Amino acid sequence: MSENKLFSLLGLAQKAGKIASGDAKVQKTVKAGQAKLLIVASDASELTQKSYRDMASFYHVQLIASFTKDQLGLAVGKGKRAALVVMDEGFSKAMCKEFSQMGE
């Protein structure tokens, strides 16, 4: 249930213009201090995952490393995505809450 809710939240955030995707946009958003949450696909290459983990750590951005590229792209109505950035605090908190409930 929580996975579906999380994907719904991603879709809503995309429609509200609060999602950045694509490597260049993700990096620009994080470096500009606008990122509240960084979601990295679990099937992204090891180098890509490390790069985003390091970036999230350096810029103090919450990171979720889960879901596939296909799932992330589908959630935001686009093709495969290795990473997404959420730029809204409310959406970010709601998504982190849903993600934490998935592990229970």
Side-chain angles (χ1 to χ4, degrees):
M1 176 73 169
S2 291
E3 185 174 295
N4 289 337
K5 177 112 184 221
L6 191 119
F7 291 143
S8 293
L9 286 167
L10 280 169
L12 287 171
Q14 174 68 30
K15 287 179 184 174
K18 302 299 182 181
I19 297 278
S21 64
D23 189 56
K25 286 183 182 178
V26 167
Q27 288 188 30
K28 182 180 177 182
T29 303
V30 171
K31 290 176 181 178
Q34 297 172 323
K36 306 300 181 200
L37 175 64
L38 175 59
I39 303 173
V40 180
S42 59
D43 61 346
S45 73
E46 199 54 45
L47 182 61
T48 298
Q49 289 185 35
K50 181 184 182 326
S51 172
Y52 284 123
R53 278 194 310 266
D54 292 347
M55 186 186 310
S57 176
F58 185 81
Y59 289 98
H60 307 288
V61 176
Q62 177 85 26
L63 176 85
I64 294 175
S66 191
F67 311 113
T68 65
K69 292 178 191 178
D70 286 329
Q71 288 174 313
L72 291 179
L74 188 62
V76 296
K78 300 192 182 268
K80 293 181 180 184
R81 295 290 185 240
L84 301 172
V85 169
V86 180
M87 300 178 285
D88 180 84
E89 189 73 35
F91 279 122
S92 173
K93 286 181 181 180
M95 289 176 199
C96 287
K97 178 182 174 187
E98 291 303 318
F99 186 75
S100 69
Q101 290 178 357
M102 287 173 46
E104 294 177 355

